[in-house]
Amino acid sequence: MGRTIIVSNRLPVKVAKDENGKLRYKSSEGGLATGLGSVYKDGDNIWVGWPGFHFDNEEEEKEAAAKLKLENMKPVALTEEEIELYYEGFSNETLWPTFHYFNQNALYKKSYWQAYEEVNHKFCKEVVEVANPDDTIWVHDYQLLLLPGLIREKLPSVSIGFFLHIPFPSFEVFRLLPWRRQLLDGVLGSDLIGFHTYDDMRHFLSAVSRICFISNQHGQLNKDGRTVEVDSFPMGIDYEKYANSSASPQTLSREVKFRTSLGAQKLMLSIDRLDYSKGIPARLEIFDLFFQKYPEYLGKVSLMMVVVPSRDNVEQYRGLKEEIDLLVGRINGKYGAVNWTPIHYFYRSFPLSDLSAYYRMADVALVTPMRDGMNLVCKEYVASRLDKQGVLILSEMAGASKELSEAIIVNPNDKHQVRDAIKRALEMTEEEQIRHMEIMQASLKKYNIHHWVKLFMDRLHDVFVKQKEMTTKLLDSTAEKTLIESFRKSDKKLLFLDYDGTLAPFNTDPTQAGPDEELHEIIKGLTKNKKNNVVVISGRDRNTLENWLGQHDIEFVAEHGVWIKHKGKAWETSDKLDNSWKDDIRPIMEIYVNKTPGSFIEEKDYSLVWHFRKVETGLGELRSREIISHLKYLAVNMNLQVLEGSMVVEIKNLEVNKGKAAMKWVQEKANDFILAIGDDATDEDTFKALPDQAFTIKVGDIHSAARFSLMEPKQVRNLLKQLI
Ligand code: GDG
């Protein structure tokens, strides 16, 4: 059993020097550190990351490494320049603003990118130094987007998970990054990629489709022959920690102290790191608007605003701090009285007991970020409300809003809406508060940080096992011998053979795609033996198949199963199939034909196909991504499926597939040997549907539900020749 290696920009510890020049180690109490504590502290597991300190010399570095090793941690030593360019630069001035839809704040500097690449390589070196091929590696967040791909190059079989803690922006925003392709290729080195919300996941998949030309099915995609799974895993908090802290004697004594100085007035609370994504200035403007519209609240409610210093080396953050200082001063100056301060503003961090006391006291928590991956503060507020009272006002731009629908959900850009939400919150009855709070607490208790860690780790393990199962064995000489022996011993044989890419190499020119002499000879040879039942199972239309191979004593499945033809019989189809959808889909395909010179529509009996093999290189691929996402969107509610072939996009009835068609033969005809060979996604249905003992062979890819694989049609022909 392998170990687990956690990798993040920061270690869950901060190294610093005391006044005597001695290294000191302070553990982090962050949610991630708590959640992953049970993982990295266990056995030989390890956490790799920057310890938040620039070592003066190698001695110091060694001393820290030895000390941290005892705590299952491995430091990555970064220089001041690296931190400036990779962390403050590319991570916080390029990726952070872009991913939070503040692209006007983003800097695109080559020096930042180079440092980002170099530091990701540095992390890779540290990981590879400790990792074994059977280990599981879990990489965290936007500072290390390239790392999964780099590790994959060095350790191809290792299991890698990646989790992004911030939002993933829509394709239109992500595409602005000059290094978009490299970033996606980096993340795609993972086996499992996790996001906080479904929307982040969907944006990521769309970027992968548009930029890397890789599409997905239900969050699964194929990257260089490996399956990558993408899903949402909303992160929870350490619920017990906040509930317990809320009940602790220290917290209660802090609360008594604060209450005494505040008097009977109501309290609203906001807690954020200093960041433009958190919407702090807008919140202050809303507070001003609130008093303008509802002056009866003057002197009766205050806002306790905690802003935790962060990234103050970055220009934009310094500017933001000044803006906040100014706004707070203006509002307090405008409304304040000798015995009442509208805003209690703190630009520092507090111990947990103080934070818990604030959570306990706040009648309203005002959490209104412009964009937030999840936002843990709102969850901590709910967990701290042992009295089940209090109202949460939550921005719909925070990932948490997808889970906490019992909160008052607001759009932070709609200042009047938030202003009125404050009034509603302050006037909400106790019963209503309790009703909402109870629902939110039950959910957060269940979906806590430990649940999140387990969910992700279990899924990563499942993906790894599934990948192993999906890795087909190359049909080597031993397997080939077994297949041939079994074939010879049997009397009633069923052979399902796909055409394009299996019996014949894929050819973009339809006039050249027909069978050659060698193929005719092979089929003739196979059909001479009456014990063999050869079924050509293809996505091609029935006329083409009949023109090409009609002279042989074989059977057919055309259009992926829409039409079937038994020997000596006419073509038959399932008459239950509905075709009325074509009238809705055809005009949409026509739009793409009109704007993509060289593309055309082929209408099959029960499907529509958009061909782009004659379109200018690049444009065809680009348009195909657009049409695929457009058709997939429509297909969901119309019982249709979208198939991607080579230079084609096909849409057809969901009930039709090669697997169902193949099973008709298996069920209707006695058989004691089954062989199925195919090369594309539609053949997977056949491999999955056939009984376990069938010999199933995937051509050109080792990740398949088939038992074996072959590299190319030439090898398929060689195998078939041996069966003659
Ligand atoms: C990123 C994503 C995502 C704050 N002030 C004090 C203090 N805090 C603690 C809070 C909370 C944490 O800091 C802040 O977490 P958030 O989730 O709200 O925000 P980010 O730091 O931006 O985190 C975010 C998160 O990653 C996890 O994936 O939710 O969307 O941006 O835990 O309690 N803690 C103490 N004193 C303070 O003064 N002790």
PDB file of all heavy atoms in Angstrom, residues 417-428:
ATOM      1  N   GLN A 417     -30.469  45.814  -3.440  1.00  0.00           N
ATOM      2  CA  GLN A 417     -30.972  44.518  -2.970  1.00  0.00           C
ATOM      3  C   GLN A 417     -30.295  44.146  -1.640  1.00  0.00           C
ATOM      4  O   GLN A 417     -30.953  43.704  -0.697  1.00  0.00           O
ATOM      5  CB  GLN A 417     -30.678  43.434  -4.025  1.00  0.00           C
ATOM      6  CG  GLN A 417     -31.248  42.077  -3.648  1.00  0.00           C
ATOM      7  CD  GLN A 417     -30.546  40.913  -4.352  1.00  0.00           C
ATOM      8  OE1 GLN A 417     -29.393  41.011  -4.764  1.00  0.00           O
ATOM      9  NE2 GLN A 417     -31.272  39.822  -4.499  1.00  0.00           N
ATOM     10  N   VAL A 418     -28.979  44.351  -1.560  1.00  0.00           N
ATOM     11  CA  VAL A 418     -28.264  43.980  -0.328  1.00  0.00           C
ATOM     12  C   VAL A 418     -28.703  44.908   0.816  1.00  0.00           C
ATOM     13  O   VAL A 418     -28.911  44.453   1.947  1.00  0.00           O
ATOM     14  CB  VAL A 418     -26.728  44.041  -0.534  1.00  0.00           C
ATOM     15  CG1 VAL A 418     -26.012  43.488   0.696  1.00  0.00           C
ATOM     16  CG2 VAL A 418     -26.302  43.266  -1.765  1.00  0.00           C
ATOM     17  N   ARG A 419     -28.848  46.192   0.486  1.00  0.00           N
ATOM     18  CA  ARG A 419     -29.307  47.156   1.494  1.00  0.00           C
ATOM     19  C   ARG A 419     -30.627  46.671   2.120  1.00  0.00           C
ATOM     20  O   ARG A 419     -30.785  46.627   3.344  1.00  0.00           O
ATOM     21  CB  ARG A 419     -29.522  48.513   0.805  1.00  0.00           C
ATOM     22  CG  ARG A 419     -30.099  49.587   1.678  1.00  0.00           C
ATOM     23  CD  ARG A 419     -30.693  50.689   0.822  1.00  0.00           C
ATOM     24  NE  ARG A 419     -31.845  50.195   0.057  1.00  0.00           N
ATOM     25  CZ  ARG A 419     -32.433  50.862  -0.942  1.00  0.00           C
ATOM     26  NH1 ARG A 419     -31.956  52.039  -1.325  1.00  0.00           N
ATOM     27  NH2 ARG A 419     -33.480  50.375  -1.569  1.00  0.00           N
ATOM     28  N   ASP A 420     -31.563  46.248   1.275  1.00  0.00           N
ATOM     29  CA  ASP A 420     -32.861  45.815   1.795  1.00  0.00           C
ATOM     30  C   ASP A 420     -32.773  44.453   2.498  1.00  0.00           C
ATOM     31  O   ASP A 420     -33.547  44.162   3.409  1.00  0.00           O
ATOM     32  CB  ASP A 420     -33.897  45.781   0.664  1.00  0.00           C
ATOM     33  CG  ASP A 420     -34.140  47.192   0.123  1.00  0.00           C
ATOM     34  OD1 ASP A 420     -33.780  48.171   0.828  1.00  0.00           O
ATOM     35  OD2 ASP A 420     -34.667  47.323  -1.000  1.00  0.00           O
ATOM     36  N   ALA A 421     -31.803  43.646   2.030  1.00  0.00           N
ATOM     37  CA  ALA A 421     -31.603  42.343   2.693  1.00  0.00           C
ATOM     38  C   ALA A 421     -31.152  42.559   4.138  1.00  0.00           C
ATOM     39  O   ALA A 421     -31.530  41.804   5.037  1.00  0.00           O
ATOM     40  CB  ALA A 421     -30.566  41.522   1.938  1.00  0.00           C
ATOM     41  N   ILE A 422     -30.362  43.609   4.362  1.00  0.00           N
ATOM     42  CA  ILE A 422     -29.899  43.900   5.733  1.00  0.00           C
ATOM     43  C   ILE A 422     -31.111  44.197   6.615  1.00  0.00           C
ATOM     44  O   ILE A 422     -31.241  43.688   7.730  1.00  0.00           O
ATOM     45  CB  ILE A 422     -28.919  45.105   5.731  1.00  0.00           C
ATOM     46  CG1 ILE A 422     -27.633  44.722   4.994  1.00  0.00           C
ATOM     47  CG2 ILE A 422     -28.617  45.568   7.154  1.00  0.00           C
ATOM     48  CD1 ILE A 422     -26.623  45.855   4.847  1.00  0.00           C
ATOM     49  N   LYS A 423     -32.021  44.998   6.073  1.00  0.00           N
ATOM     50  CA  LYS A 423     -33.211  45.351   6.864  1.00  0.00           C
ATOM     51  C   LYS A 423     -34.018  44.079   7.184  1.00  0.00           C
ATOM     52  O   LYS A 423     -34.427  43.860   8.319  1.00  0.00           O
ATOM     53  CB  LYS A 423     -34.069  46.354   6.089  1.00  0.00           C
ATOM     54  CG  LYS A 423     -35.313  46.761   6.848  1.00  0.00           C
ATOM     55  CD  LYS A 423     -35.854  48.070   6.327  1.00  0.00           C
ATOM     56  CE  LYS A 423     -36.982  48.610   7.182  1.00  0.00           C
ATOM     57  NZ  LYS A 423     -38.202  47.823   7.076  1.00  0.00           N
ATOM     58  N   ARG A 424     -34.177  43.254   6.135  1.00  0.00           N
ATOM     59  CA  ARG A 424     -34.946  42.026   6.319  1.00  0.00           C
ATOM     60  C   ARG A 424     -34.289  41.151   7.383  1.00  0.00           C
ATOM     61  O   ARG A 424     -34.965  40.570   8.244  1.00  0.00           O
ATOM     62  CB  ARG A 424     -35.000  41.266   4.986  1.00  0.00           C
ATOM     63  CG  ARG A 424     -36.128  40.288   4.918  1.00  0.00           C
ATOM     64  CD  ARG A 424     -36.109  39.481   3.643  1.00  0.00           C
ATOM     65  NE  ARG A 424     -36.236  38.086   3.979  1.00  0.00           N
ATOM     66  CZ  ARG A 424     -35.833  37.091   3.228  1.00  0.00           C
ATOM     67  NH1 ARG A 424     -35.250  37.335   2.069  1.00  0.00           N
ATOM     68  NH2 ARG A 424     -36.003  35.849   3.604  1.00  0.00           N
ATOM     69  N   ALA A 425     -32.974  41.074   7.328  1.00  0.00           N
ATOM     70  CA  ALA A 425     -32.242  40.231   8.283  1.00  0.00           C
ATOM     71  C   ALA A 425     -32.434  40.753   9.709  1.00  0.00           C
ATOM     72  O   ALA A 425     -32.682  39.982  10.640  1.00  0.00           O
ATOM     73  CB  ALA A 425     -30.765  40.214   7.921  1.00  0.00           C
ATOM     74  N   LEU A 426     -32.327  42.084   9.863  1.00  0.00           N
ATOM     75  CA  LEU A 426     -32.440  42.663  11.206  1.00  0.00           C
ATOM     76  C   LEU A 426     -33.840  42.480  11.783  1.00  0.00           C
ATOM     77  O   LEU A 426     -34.031  42.478  12.992  1.00  0.00           O
ATOM     78  CB  LEU A 426     -32.071  44.151  11.169  1.00  0.00           C
ATOM     79  CG  LEU A 426     -30.594  44.464  10.917  1.00  0.00           C
ATOM     80  CD1 LEU A 426     -30.388  45.946  10.634  1.00  0.00           C
ATOM     81  CD2 LEU A 426     -29.736  44.030  12.109  1.00  0.00           C
ATOM     82  N   GLU A 427     -34.804  42.323  10.882  1.00  0.00           N
ATOM     83  CA  GLU A 427     -36.194  42.229  11.363  1.00  0.00           C
ATOM     84  C   GLU A 427     -36.755  40.806  11.325  1.00  0.00           C
ATOM     85  O   GLU A 427     -37.927  40.586  11.603  1.00  0.00           O
ATOM     86  CB  GLU A 427     -37.063  43.171  10.511  1.00  0.00           C
ATOM     87  CG  GLU A 427     -36.721  44.619  10.835  1.00  0.00           C
ATOM     88  CD  GLU A 427     -37.365  45.636   9.911  1.00  0.00           C
ATOM     89  OE1 GLU A 427     -38.194  45.233   9.069  1.00  0.00           O
ATOM     90  OE2 GLU A 427     -37.033  46.834  10.029  1.00  0.00           O
ATOM     91  N   MET A 428     -35.924  39.856  10.975  1.00  0.00           N
ATOM     92  CA  MET A 428     -36.414  38.475  10.858  1.00  0.00           C
ATOM     93  C   MET A 428     -36.828  37.935  12.232  1.00  0.00           C
ATOM     94  O   MET A 428     -36.143  38.161  13.228  1.00  0.00           O
ATOM     95  CB  MET A 428     -35.315  37.585  10.263  1.00  0.00           C
ATOM     96  CG  MET A 428     -35.817  36.224   9.818  1.00  0.00           C
ATOM     97  SD  MET A 428     -34.495  35.226   9.113  1.00  0.00           S
ATOM     98  CE  MET A 428     -34.397  35.856   7.461  1.00  0.00           C
TER      99      MET A 428
END
